[in-house]
Amino acid sequence: MNIPYTVEERPDTGLYNAKLGIWLFLASEVMLFGGLFSAYVFLRFGAPEGAFHEWGKELNIPLATINTMILISSSVTMVMSWASLKLKDFKKYKFYMGITLLCALGFLVIKYLEYTAKFDHHIYPSTNTFYAIYFTLTGLHGLHIIGGMVVLFYLWMPGSKMWHSKPEQFTNRIETVGLYWHFVDLVWIFLFPILYLL
Amino acid sequence: MTSGHDTADIKNHIKVYMMVFAALAFLTIITVAASYLDLSSGEAIFLALAIASIKGSLVASYFMHLISERALITWILMLTAGFFFILMFIPMASLIDQARLG
Amino acid sequence: MSEHTHHEESFFRKYIWSTDHKIIGLQYGFTALFFLLVGFSLMMVMRWQLAYPETPIPFVGSLFGEDGLLLPDIYNSLGAMHGTIMIFLGIVPLAVGAFGNYLVPLQIGAPDMAFPKLNAASYWSYLVGGLVMMSSFFTEEGAARSGWTSYPPLANIEFGQTIWLIGMIFLITSSLLGSMNIITTIVQLRAPGLTWMRLPFFVWAQFVTSFLLVLAFPPLEAAAVLQLMDRVVGTSFFLPSGLVVAGEVMEVSGGGSPLLWQHLFWFLAHPEVYVLILPAMGVVSEVIANNTRKPLWGYNSLVFAAVFLGFMSFIVWAHHMFLTGMGTTMSAFFQTTTMIISIPSVIILSALFISLWGASIRFNTPMLFALAFLPMFGIGGLTGLPLGFAAADIYLHDTYYVIGHFHYVVAPGTIFGLFAGIYYWYPKITGRKMNELLGKIHFWPSLLFMNGIFMPMFIQGLAGVSRRLWDGGLEYAHAAGVLHWNEFMSISAWLLGLAQIPFIFNVFYSLRSGEKVDNNPWQATTLEWEAPSPPLPHVNFEKLPEVHREPYEYSVPGRNRDYTPQTEPKKDQY
Ligand code: HEM
Ligand SMILES: [Cu+2]
């Protein structure tokens, strides 16, 4: 059985199935983080004047800035790995994908350092509502990174065999997983100022 | 956006990606720097969110190709964005309304 | 048949770990019907306590303790789980998982769903979520007991809630996977010629429903994560400072807000009620068009009403929160949007009623259920209007009136709609019709007893009797005059249970002994009837169909048959 439009685009919508699928998934992700951002706004508003800002001062801005840079870089290497496939340069694909994974790993290591530093100072999610939402948001974001890494690793190593049999479909896969990856980056772009800077 | 690229096209894209990368890095530095300025909290929030929005739209438009994506996707995202803002602001508005009553 | 499948699949691949949308649809269907029965059984037990407070429960009493009494804690568990099971494990999986899965690809002329593996994952995630929920009955803490709405602070501190939250996360994941799949399928896999305005209304209903699920469920997932954090790592998202529990101030950091939960919860849960009703409206439209032998009246307005309904359902949620002290501006806003959203509901209902006008109606079992749906949904919807006015709701909120309102919509409404669908599409699934006599024996008592249960709830509610009371309101003087209805309602409920026996029997009996029928026993126009019965594994159609017409060309003057399938080419195309 063949399901139509798994690889080629449907003429009237101009999309292949997975492209629409991933965007719908991202739409639901927007609403998931929307719920959490809404909680952030609600709690910040309900807290004593300036409390969130005060509580947030314990966070490590330099580390978070580095992490922002890392994640942005990983987004660039991600899109480069897709462009490499478009240029039929499989070696470069492997290279860029490898760097993307490395960046992701670096991000998690720094996050780990940040978390343990907080715990060492006896700051936990239960400390106050700011840290509650801080740990929840960054934790969930971290889970997204980990989930993404699993898929990226698969497409980097075992799954990349597909390039030799079905190059078009493989390129589509990289494009869709790339969309997810950029989205995770995009979430961080907003998390960074609201948690660390404000 | 997905098919029918020729090589020159992609090479052009890559140039754009590099420029976007530079812009993102630059804006990150700006937003961190701004947080050390002595702004009122309202101004700080506005500035930080404005910068984040610019960065976000750069990522969405270029890395995620939204700038040349099909109308259907754009419509779905606009719908989502609408509900996102409703979800964001109505609960807060209810707090304000409550506070107004004292 | 086997020439279409390239290789014979093992039993396991074919029926258990299947990626065929039809098998997955049936898996969803049977699981959901089973859960509906479980949820209903819980309620039958609770109704004993309400009818005969503090007397031992017959037959099953020993399950609830040595003396067979239903204690308040257990009563609360049963109530919370009844609501949860009915909505999240029963109706939504039946309406979207089963009906959507089985029929959408067939009605749009597709070989399968767009993502067959995700489809299977969606079912398995649903099953795991269901089993997690059910497992909570057997834990030491017992099942959740804070209502299906799980309001904090109660839900933050009550037993059993943690498992409930974990179960919900699985169920939400399942719904998300399923609904993304349905949208993609409808957008991408429509047969050639099947333009948007040629889609059967059922497909439109599933389309809008799926959008509601994709966009409204995630905030509840977020809320579930927050509540889980509260319970497991001790955050205070929903706990205010200085909360006193059992005479002592709770030792938490505080600063949270129970209202936050209500916003996030109802942001899902109001769209959710349209998730419950829209698919049923879709089913009923198909059945009515077919059995009136007329095109649906106002197909376009039906479609636009459904889309508008979906859109509006995102901005009415706080009509569930009028009594939280939201403030008058907010109340006025939500009161207005609530009144606006009743307009499309009325349009849909009116269009369906007008469709009956002047028709020579075939009164078969599916049509009976579809016909009953109309007034029952009408009662449910109309009783919603007073609830939508903040002033009236102050009195009616949290009374049995609310219970009556939404059960009219969901029970004799949605469930009847889905019954209509089961009787209507059974021949497509099995190649045989369900027994008509048994169908009627199922229908008439069900209609009677449904009303016997829910009509008195309005009376009790208007007298001010609160919902969720273990003793049904015995301690309140204002309830004294209406409590005698409890026995009547309970007996109706048990009889309603009995009335389902012919249905259950019919489903299995007709598998072997039902009247054998051809591919299109109802002389219908839509695409699913072009496929063999049952449709071919994995490909559905012998040859993928092409569409040339509107969905409901019934009784078009000048044609030699009273129906023209969507696949029939128009004359001028020869
Ligand atoms: C047609 C117009 C409708 C209006 C104006 C309406 C209005 C309302 C209002 C204002 C409430 C809150 C009452 C309270 O808690 O005090 C309510 C409760 C409810 N409605 Fe409706 N409704 C409508 C249709 C529906 C439909 C179609 C469904 C479901 C299929 C539905 C299901 C529910 C449920 C489940 C609740 C109670 C939830 C709970 O508190 O446990 N309603 N309705
Ligand atoms: Cu509502």
Side-chain angles (χ1 to χ4, degrees), chain A residues 1-5 10 12-13 15-18 20-21 24-25 27-28 31-32 35-36 38-39 42-43 125-129 132-133 136, chain C residues 111 113 115-116 180 183-184 187-190 214-215 218-219 221-222 226 229 233-235 237 253-257 260 263-264 267 538-539:
Chain A
M1 162 221 31
N2 276 326
I3 294 171
Y5 312 120
R10 180 178 164 117
D12 59 348
T13 61
L15 299 166
Y16 58 90
N17 297 343
L20 181 57
L24 287 167
F25 174 69
S28 85
M31 295 309 285
L32 174 71
L36 296 170
S38 175
F42 197 91
L43 293 173
S126 53
T127 302
N128 53 41
T129 45
I133 195 80
T136 310
Chain C
M113 294 284 255
F115 310 115
M180 276 154 37
I183 298 176
T184 310
V187 173
Q188 292 286 94
L189 303 189
R190 278 166 295 129
V214 166
L215 297 178
E221 189 153 26
L226 298 183
M229 293 286 285
V233 297
T235 55
F237 286 111
S253 63
S257 161
L260 174 59
H263 279 299
L264 295 177
F267 187 87
H538 287 298
V539 291

Side-chain angles (χ1 to χ4, degrees), chain C residues 56-395:
Chain C
I57 310 165
F59 311 125
V60 293
S62 56
L63 293 175
F64 301 95
E66 270 164 37
D67 43 11
L69 295 179
L70 189 60
L71 299 176
D73 273 349
I74 310 282
Y75 179 90
N76 288 345
S77 274
L78 298 189
M81 294 306 281
H82 164 76
T84 307
I85 291 175
M86 287 311 217
I87 291 186
F88 296 115
L89 293 171
I91 306 230
V92 177
L94 188 60
V96 182
F99 277 92
N101 239 317
Y102 201 100
L103 290 169
V104 165
L106 287 171
Q107 286 203 325
I108 63 172
D112 202 325
M113 294 284 255
F115 310 115
K117 282 184 195 142
L118 280 190
N119 204 11
S122 155
Y123 172 73
W124 290 105
S125 175
Y126 158 59
L127 190 67
V128 170
L131 292 178
V132 168
M133 283 284 180
M134 299 307 289
S135 72
S136 61
F137 279 113
F138 305 101
T139 58
E140 209 158 301
E141 288 197 353
R145 53 184 72 156
S146 317
W148 79 283
T149 50
S150 294
Y151 277 11
L154 182 65
N156 269 29
I157 51 187
E158 256 298 6
F159 289 130
Q161 188 67 18
T162 306
I163 295 190
W164 188 91
L165 291 166
I166 295 172
M168 278 313 287
I169 290 178
F170 279 103
L171 295 176
I172 295 172
T173 309
S174 153
S175 277
L176 287 177
L177 293 176
S179 44
M180 276 154 37
N181 213 340
I182 288 182
I183 298 176
T184 310
T185 306
I186 295 174
V187 173
Q188 292 286 94
L189 303 189
R190 278 166 295 129
L194 190 55
T195 53
W196 286 98
M197 291 320 262
R198 282 178 175 174
L199 289 176
F201 184 64
F202 176 80
V203 176
W204 270 108
Q206 290 284 341
F207 187 68
V208 175
T209 302
S210 300
F211 261 103
L212 298 185
L213 286 173
V214 166
L215 297 178
F217 242 139
L220 181 65
E221 189 153 26
V225 169
L226 298 183
Q227 202 172 62
L228 207 56
M229 293 286 285
D230 272 8
R231 291 182 62 91
V232 179
V233 297
T235 55
S236 303
F237 286 111
F238 303 125
L239 294 176
S241 313
L243 184 69
V244 177
V245 175
E248 280 179 44
V249 177
M250 265 188 96
E251 270 192 53
V252 290
S253 63
S257 161
L259 261 187
L260 174 59
W261 170 270
Q262 294 197 21
H263 279 299
L264 295 177
F265 181 85
W266 289 113
F267 187 87
L268 157 85
H270 187 86
E272 176 83 4
V273 307
Y274 290 96
V275 169
L276 299 174
I277 197 71
L278 275 169
M281 288 172 166
V283 171
V284 167
S285 310
E286 299 297 305
V287 175
I288 285 187
N290 179 264
N291 288 300
T292 53
R293 316 305 294 164
K294 279 174 48 186
L296 280 181
W297 191 89
Y299 169 82
N300 289 0
S301 42
L302 277 175
V303 169
F304 289 122
V307 172
F308 184 62
L309 196 72
F311 185 78
M312 285 301 290
S313 71
F314 281 91
I315 43 174
V316 298
W317 81 82
H319 64 209
H320 297 270
M321 301 166 59
F322 284 142
L323 265 73
T324 57
M326 259 186 326
T328 45
T329 320
M330 292 308 274
S331 290
F333 172 76
F334 280 102
Q335 173 172 306
T336 313
T337 53
T338 304
M339 292 306 119
I340 294 175
I341 202 177
S342 56
I343 297 170
S345 312
V346 171
I347 292 179
I348 292 178
L349 197 59
S350 312
L352 292 177
F353 263 121
I354 299 173
S355 298
L356 304 177
W357 187 259
S360 50
I361 298 176
R362 296 174 174 175
F363 286 101
N364 47 31
T365 312
M367 187 59 172
L368 288 178
F369 275 104
L371 285 175
F373 170 90
L374 301 178
M376 294 296 111
F377 173 69
I379 295 176
L382 287 177
T383 52
L385 290 178
L387 295 174
F389 288 111
D393 190 55
I394 289 174
Y395 181 75

